[in-house]
Amino acid sequence: MLDHLKEIDYGTPKRESEREVTLEIDGNEVTVPAGTSLMRAAVDAGIQVPKLCATDSLEPFGSCRLCLVEIEGRRGFPASCTTPAEAGMKVRTQTPKLQELRKGVMELYISDHPLDCLTCSANGNCELQDMAGVTGLRNVRYGFDGANHLKSEKDESNPYFSYDPSKCIVCNRCVRACEETQGTFALTISGRGFESRVSPGQDEAFMDSECVSCGACVEACPTATLQEKSVIWLGQPEHSVITTCAYCGVGCSFKAEMKGNEVVRMVPWKDGKANEGHSCVKGRFAWGYATHQDRMLKPMIRKNISDPWQEVSWDTALNYAASEFKRLQAKYGRDSIGGITSSRCTNEETYLVQKLVRAAFGNNNVDTCARVCHSPTGYGLKQTLGESAGTQTFASVDKADVIMVIGANPTDGHPVFASRMKKRLRQGAKLIVVDPRRIDIVKSPHVKAAHHLQLRPGTNVAVVTALAHVIVTEGLMADEFVAERCDTASFKEWKSYVERPEQSPEATEAVTGVPAAEMRAAARLFATGGNAAIYYGLGVTEHSQGSTTVMGIANLAMVTGNVGREGVGVNPLRGQNNVQGSCDMGSFPHELPGYRHVSDSTTRSAFEAAWGVPIDPEPGLRIPNMFDAAIGGSFKGLYCEGEDIVQSDPNTQHVAAAMMAMECVVVQDIFLNETAKYAHVFLPGSSFLEKDGTFTNAERRISRVRKVMPPKAGLADWEVTVKLAQALGYPMDYKSPEEIMDEIAALTPTFRGVSYKRLDELGSIQWPCNENAPEGTPTMHIDRFVRGKGRFIVTQYVATDEKVTRRFPLLLTTGRILSQYNVGAQTRRTENNQWHSEDRLEIHPHDAEERGVKDGDWVGIQSRAGETVLRATVSERMQPGVVYTTFHFPESGANVITTDNSDWATNCPEYKVTAVQVSPVMQPSAWQQEYSRFNQTQNDLLAAASHQSKQSNGTVPAK
């Protein structure tokens, strides 16, 4: 267990410089990089200078006047936080005069501060309290008879933290954190002099302001002014454990601060390589789902989905599941069952599930939810660059001069990375946004896109090719890079294609909807603006031409030479915490761990030797094929760990029909989700707080997940899979997830140097990590591409089959919102619902007026696949002809209307383009009415099982 409850605060940020200076502080010689503050230099010398307004996550401010020092040969008492170290300086941090000055400053602070230390929620973790002791303050001459702020009204509007202005010392740390770290600029100091106080917005409540509840202000506050309500309720934690967030693909490191087995708060770890001490509302505050009353903690079985659940022991449930799988294979054949892994589970857990399918089921019918989000990334980047992953670290954006964001909404989907990106934009980098919707980053405080290419959904390929056309025909290519690093034949073929007149912005304008002049200007900026980086998301991959667009993005990066160094690259923003890892671990039916095809006999023989069984050389079924085979009668059993396919996969009614056609569905999860309502066996899962393992984020960064509490259901997820394999007759005898990682490393070349010991030493590792890169690979393709020469691929635009008609004249596209996560199973069970309690349909005022729809009206959305009803939000974020919704609430039925169109190469669903009609309605859709009935039935069946269990335990009387 790693305890980091108390960390050194250096007062000011670290400075990088090739030049060093040597000085003397309190008689100690210290050498630091030029530009380092005296305060930080003192800490390097082992000396803590008193401070209140300074902290090492923020630029120095120099307002509190506690950090004054004396410098030999200089007059006055400069602030050590704002004074840079110089060669030959002789500095004193403690003299009688400094003591007198500091004590006087502290006396003024305390004269307008409640003296309730014993009952204050920050008692034991209060910098003001600490500094009163450090300065030797023992009494205050100024009473409370005059004007003061002691009766200032608290702001309790935010569900996660309280704001008590009576304890504010106006140090500005919260305001600066909101500006420098988060980039929202939601806080300010209102009033002057004695009337100065922190104010959200224009003297608004926190919940009425632009605050996004990232927690940066709370973390920065040195007193109890801004305090987590969990700390107010539970008191100060007594130990902490470093772990990794289980939300998005940024992979933030957190200190889980604990009292015993109870989490008091989650604090972003400043040494976390992906987040460097920052967080978002989900990772920082929305962890309460792990102990929510809806948690399923008992294994359950039933014969039919119309039967009540029966709570049973672990052994009974696992033996029943194993016997059913054996029965189905005996009756319908070896290929009649399969498994689904989850991007929410650890690398070790997903590895075990695919191993169980291949070794115990004896087939390759394994797939993962990464299929429905980023499988085109794996295919497209493998074909062009040679590796199925992004090329950079998140920190690389600090050196980008031009940033292109395509089909991603970082401020909502990857907010911690977005904050870093916005900081770079405020420093002068230029932004190009390619998105059909006006996302926040197009224009937000101190950030404005140079170009917003507001394309029509489904035309990504045409846009990317048109950008390439401008670069090629205007002579903006990186000729030396292409000649040295790329395949000549493929480049010539590609160049000949993109330079055709029909690929020009003028020729494609009618298709894409992007003005030709804007397209040309964006292409010129990207090619000539310096280091250019591309970041993309599901708005690229979730299309029928998703793989083609990924290859087109790689073409753009190669032709401009923007690969292989910091500040550039091709960077997929992964949606869930372990999308990258679930792919790395061999969760696809055609690939073993490390993206090696099952048909490769050399690779297969290595796994066969380690696993002790033959492996089928033929690829298995993908998730859509499983559904079709189930409805066709040949696929009968499914083991689904940590994934809610009924809510998250397209064409919900088709998925539900497939589930009902199976004879044994085994679901392993922490809640009775939408998929579990169709299950015959339910195995309780464990949250990220209850397990050990690793996640791999969007930058290929492998980070440790550490258990902070025992599994509430008795077993961690990896243990459940091990026991199921044993029940099937296949021996798995791991004693810990560490042993599983050792096996992964032994069998996967890119993980060869990864171990828990090495992860603990380095903090995290970016694969490839092996004998060639013992500390990992932050930047890929530096001197050569993984495949050797970079391969250009022709990206022909093929219009989607999903076309608007008179019957379906609008295009629906989908996305996420900051406060909710994916299918919402976790965030919906937290106070995050206060920000977003329902999915809504965004519609342009022109389209709304044409249909007689007003803001807040209920509207029916009908597609070729189905119909649902949502409340409308009239908004100019959308262009005319396009509507938008999120998909976080199961009753919304967003995927009832998405079709089963998919990417030509990977079967990734085309969530982003659905032709629909929108009209005012007065009642829920037929599907929603049936969903309500089915949901109530399943809840009743669950309640009956719970009541029966309590009767058998004697906790309720029998009727």
Side-chain angles (χ1 to χ4, degrees):
M1 184 173 292
L2 302 183
D3 199 322
H4 295 263
L5 203 57
K6 296 291 185 183
E7 297 181 33
I8 296 174
D9 187 338
Y10 290 83
T12 62
K14 185 178 181 181
R15 301 304 185 199
E16 303 287 347
S17 177
E18 294 181 0
R19 185 171 65 89
E20 292 187 329
V21 296
T22 300
L23 65 158
E24 185 180 291
I25 302 179
D26 291 344
N28 300 288
E29 187 176 280
V30 58
T31 301
V32 295
T36 300
S37 71
L38 289 180
M39 177 179 284
R40 189 173 185 108
V43 178
D44 282 344
I47 300 162
Q48 286 286 345
V49 181
K51 65 185 186 303
L52 276 174
C53 72
T55 185
D56 56 16
S57 64
L58 302 172
E59 290 299 316
F61 195 60
S63 71
C64 76
R65 314 312 295 167
L66 272 186
C67 71
L68 307 179
V69 294
E70 292 182 3
I71 302 173
E72 189 174 289
R74 294 195 185 182
R75 297 177 61 186
F77 304 93
S80 61
C81 64
T82 56
T83 305
E86 296 177 13
M89 271 186 172
K90 292 188 176 181
V91 181
R92 286 182 296 232
T93 70
Q94 185 63 43
T95 67
K97 184 60 178 176
L98 290 172
Q99 179 75 0
E100 180 186 356
L101 289 170
R102 289 169 182 161
K103 188 180 294 187
V105 169
M106 276 305 303
E107 192 173 2
L108 289 172
Y109 279 123
I110 300 301
S111 70
D112 188 21
H113 196 85
L115 299 180
D116 59 352
C117 289
L118 290 179
T119 57
C120 177
S121 59
N123 187 16
N125 186 29
C126 174
E127 294 180 44
L128 186 69
Q129 190 181 60
D130 293 342
M131 291 305 105
V134 166
T135 58
L137 184 67
R138 296 295 175 258
N139 58 71
V140 177
R141 291 167 290 172
Y142 321 110
F144 295 129
D145 295 335
N148 59 61
H149 297 89
L150 300 186
K151 294 184 179 179
S152 299
E153 187 176 345
K154 288 184 181 180
D155 178 358
E156 301 279 9
S157 63
N158 190 286
Y160 294 122
F161 60 83
S162 171
Y163 169 51
D164 184 354
S166 74
K167 297 184 177 180
C168 179
I169 60 172
V170 202
C171 64
N172 253 279
R173 273 164 61 165
C174 59
V175 177
R176 290 148 56 208
C178 192
E179 294 175 359
E180 297 176 26
T181 307
Q182 169 57 29
T184 296
F185 294 83
L187 302 181
T188 187
I189 300 293
S190 64
R192 292 189 175 196
F194 179 78
E195 298 302 326
S196 299
R197 275 297 177 269
V198 173
S199 169
Q202 298 297 312
D203 289 317
E204 300 169 293
F206 267 90
M207 287 297 278
D208 296 331
S209 72
E210 293 179 338
C211 170
V212 293
S213 296
C214 68
C217 61
V218 181
E219 182 63 12
C221 182
T223 69
T225 306
L226 288 160
Q227 182 78 78
E228 299 95 335
K229 290 182 177 177
S230 58
V231 174
I232 296 173
W233 297 328
L234 298 172
Q236 292 295 329
E238 43 84 15
H239 74 276
S240 68
V241 181
I242 303 297
T243 190
T244 304
C245 181
Y247 280 118
C248 78
V250 174
C252 296
S253 296
F254 276 86
K255 290 189 298 179
E257 297 198 344
M258 312 289 297
K259 293 182 78 170
N261 291 330
E262 186 168 19
V263 178
V264 175
R265 62 181 166 193
M266 298 291 288
V267 177
W269 188 34
K270 68 179 183 180
D271 289 335
K273 300 298 190 296
N275 59 318
E276 296 184 351
H278 192 34
S279 60
C280 78
V281 63
K282 294 189 288 288
R284 183 70 159 89
F285 297 117
W287 40 267
Y289 70 88
T291 54
H292 194 273
Q293 61 183 8
D294 288 352
R295 281 288 302 270
M296 303 299 297
L297 303 178
K298 300 287 186 182
M300 302 186 298
I301 61 174
R302 59 182 176 180
K303 183 66 176 174
N304 302 297
I305 67 168
S306 57
D307 296 338
W309 285 104
Q310 179 185 354
E311 291 185 0
V312 295
S313 67
W314 275 109
D315 286 344
T316 299
L318 291 164
N319 288 331
Y320 178 75
S323 65
E324 282 293 281
F325 285 149
K326 289 177 182 177
R327 177 183 68 81
L328 294 174
Q329 286 189 305
K331 183 175 181 180
Y332 299 104
R334 187 183 64 181
D335 294 329
S336 63
I337 63 174
I340 295 177
T341 75
S342 173
S343 296
R344 287 191 285 275
C345 293
T346 65
N347 287 315
E348 294 77 3
E349 290 159 357
T350 53
Y351 175 84
L352 284 193
V353 172
Q354 64 84 33
K355 179 178 179 179
L356 176 135
V357 171
R358 292 188 161 106
F361 289 3
N363 61 46
N364 288 312
N365 293 339
V366 63
D367 208 350
T368 178
C369 55
R371 154 88 48 236
V372 301
C373 58
H374 266 285
S375 49
T377 286
Y379 181 86
L381 295 185
K382 188 81 169 179
Q383 295 296 312
T384 51
L385 309 183
E387 193 56 271
S388 304
T391 62
Q392 314 291 128
T393 65
F394 289 137
S396 169
V397 78
D398 296 346
K399 298 184 179 179
D401 302 305
V402 179
I403 300 167
M404 183 182 290
V405 176
I406 309 181
N409 187 359
T411 54
D412 279 17
H414 305 85
V416 170
F417 168 71
S419 292
R420 183 163 208 150
M421 181 173 66
K422 287 191 293 183
K423 186 174 185 178
R424 179 60 186 151
L425 293 170
R426 293 195 301 274
Q427 293 169 347
K430 303 298 183 186
L431 175 65
I432 301 167
V433 174
V434 185
D435 201 291
R437 184 168 174 258
R438 197 182 72 232
I439 57 175
D440 287 344
I441 205 167
V442 170
K443 187 178 181 181
S444 61
H446 302 275
V447 169
K448 184 178 181 181
H451 302 284
H452 178 201
L453 309 185
Q454 197 168 16
L455 76 169
R456 291 197 182 99
T459 63
N460 287 338
V461 172
V463 167
V464 170
T465 305
L467 291 170
H469 172 91
V470 176
I471 292 166
V472 168
T473 59
E474 294 189 5
L476 307 178
M477 298 178 291
D479 294 322
E480 291 185 11
F481 180 92
V482 172
E484 179 185 347
R485 298 282 306 272
C486 301
D487 174 69
T488 303
S490 68
F491 171 69
K492 287 181 178 178
E493 181 185 2
W494 173 81
K495 180 175 179 290
S496 175
Y497 176 78
V498 299
E499 66 187 359
R500 295 175 188 171
E502 57 265 34
Q503 310 304 339
S504 70
E506 290 76 14
T508 57
E509 181 175 336
V511 172
T512 65
V514 179
E518 190 76 2
M519 188 88 81
R520 285 189 176 275
R524 291 166 187 153
L525 174 60
F526 182 79
T528 65
N531 284 342
I534 301 175
Y535 295 87
Y536 71 89
L538 305 186
V540 161
T541 56
E542 291 179 343
H543 286 272
S544 60
Q545 281 199 288
S547 293
T548 311
T549 307
V550 172
M551 292 186 288
I553 287 171
N555 291 340
L556 278 181
M558 288 189 292
V559 77
T560 55
N562 282 304
V563 187
R565 63 183 185 278
E566 289 198 333
V568 300
V570 178
N571 306 282
L573 295 176
R574 308 289 193 168
Q576 296 182 67
N577 54 299
N578 204 32
V579 169
Q580 184 67 60
S582 68
C583 299
D584 299 341
M585 293 299 104
S587 296
F588 290 127
H590 63 292
E591 287 178 334
L592 287 159
Y595 304 97
R596 291 166 293 167
H597 204 278
V598 292
S599 64
D600 181 73
S601 57
T602 303
T603 299
R604 213 169 54 251
S605 63
F607 282 91
E608 288 174 340
W611 294 353
V613 293
I615 297 173
D616 191 338
E618 294 296 322
L621 298 175
R622 295 171 172 174
I623 290 173
N625 307 132
M626 293 180 192
F627 295 156
D628 291 341
I631 292 173
S634 61
F635 189 81
K636 291 294 185 178
L638 179 68
Y639 172 45
C640 182
E641 181 191 63
E643 176 59 11
D644 194 356
I645 51 178
V646 172
Q647 187 179 341
S648 64
D649 280 47
N651 198 343
T652 299
Q653 295 176 93
H654 180 72
V655 178
M659 300 299 289
M660 294 185 73
M662 297 185 211
E663 293 183 19
C664 182
V665 174
V666 179
V667 169
Q668 184 174 330
D669 216 299
I670 61 176
F671 300 114
L672 193 78
N673 59 22
E674 302 308 304
T675 304
K677 293 168 186 174
Y678 292 87
H680 306 90
V681 180
F682 185 88
L683 305 175
S686 51
S687 74
F688 79 110
L689 296 171
E690 302 157 51
K691 62 178 67 173
D692 288 302
T694 56
F695 293 150
T696 307
N697 75 349
E699 40 171 15
R700 294 172 284 105
R701 185 181 302 282
I702 307 161
S703 300
R704 287 279 279 116
V705 180
R706 295 183 177 89
K707 182 168 66 176
V708 304
M709 62 176 69
K712 295 182 72 64
L715 296 175
D717 286 325
W718 69 272
E719 295 174 298
V720 177
T721 305
V722 165
K723 288 181 176 293
L724 178 58
Q726 292 169 344
L728 285 162
Y730 178 76
M732 285 190 189
D733 57 358
Y734 306 100
K735 296 179 177 63
S736 70
E738 184 172 10
E739 290 186 1
I740 304 170
M741 178 53 74
D742 290 343
E743 180 174 309
I744 294 167
L747 292 169
T748 311
T750 50
F751 276 65
R752 191 85 72 205
V754 178
S755 67
Y756 281 17
K757 182 176 183 292
R758 201 75 177 116
L759 286 167
D760 288 343
E761 289 171 354
L762 298 176
S764 63
I765 295 172
Q766 289 174 267
W767 67 259
C769 176
N770 46 35
E771 56 278 1
N772 298 321
E775 294 192 0
T777 311
T779 303
M780 296 274 280
H781 317 293
I782 291 178
D783 298 316
R784 64 188 293 277
F785 289 102
V786 170
R787 68 180 311 278
K789 295 283 189 177
R791 179 187 177 198
F792 285 85
I793 297 180
V794 170
T795 53
Q796 181 180 0
Y797 168 65
V798 178
T800 172
D801 291 339
E802 190 67 6
K803 296 178 174 63
V804 295
T805 62
R806 290 181 64 185
R807 184 182 176 194
F808 302 113
L810 303 173
L811 286 178
L812 169 73
T813 189
T814 62
R816 298 178 178 180
I817 200 163
L818 170 64
S819 59
Q820 297 288 354
Y821 172 68
N822 204 43
V823 296
Q826 293 145 278
T827 44
R828 281 188 281 108
R829 290 176 170 89
T830 71
E831 294 296 333
N832 280 29
N833 281 356
Q834 290 197 30
W835 286 276
H836 186 77
S837 59
E838 62 179 351
D839 294 317
R840 285 198 169 212
L841 185 82
E842 286 187 15
I843 183 170
H844 190 273
H846 171 78
D847 295 325
E849 183 179 7
E850 196 173 65
R851 289 159 176 78
V853 173
K854 295 182 178 62
D855 193 74
D857 284 355
W858 290 102
V859 292
I861 308 104
Q862 186 178 28
S863 74
R864 295 177 177 91
E867 182 178 9
T868 193
V869 171
L870 298 174
R871 202 186 300 272
T873 294
V874 179
S875 168
E876 291 190 354
R877 280 179 178 262
M878 304 311 304
Q879 55 186 293
V882 181
V883 293
Y884 168 90
T885 190
T886 51
F887 50 85
H888 304 300
F889 292 80
E891 63 272 17
S892 299
N895 283 326
V896 171
I897 46 182
T898 53
T899 67
D900 52 11
N901 289 347
S902 64
D903 174 50
W904 61 271
T906 67
N907 273 147
C908 182
E910 189 173 46
Y911 290 116
K912 303 304 181 187
V913 189
T914 305
V916 298
Q917 178 59 287
V918 174
S919 55
V921 296
M922 299 297 292
Q923 62 182 10
S925 68
W927 176 86
Q928 284 169 315
Q929 293 177 46
E930 172 56 24
Y931 168 81
S932 181
R933 184 205 63 77
F934 178 76
N935 186 56
Q936 186 60 54
T937 298
Q938 292 301 315
N939 287 335
D940 290 344
L941 294 173
L942 179 63
S946 177
H947 184 79
Q948 183 181 12
S949 174
K950 290 175 181 177
Q951 277 190 338
S952 62
N953 292 332
T955 55
V956 297
K959 291 185 179 179

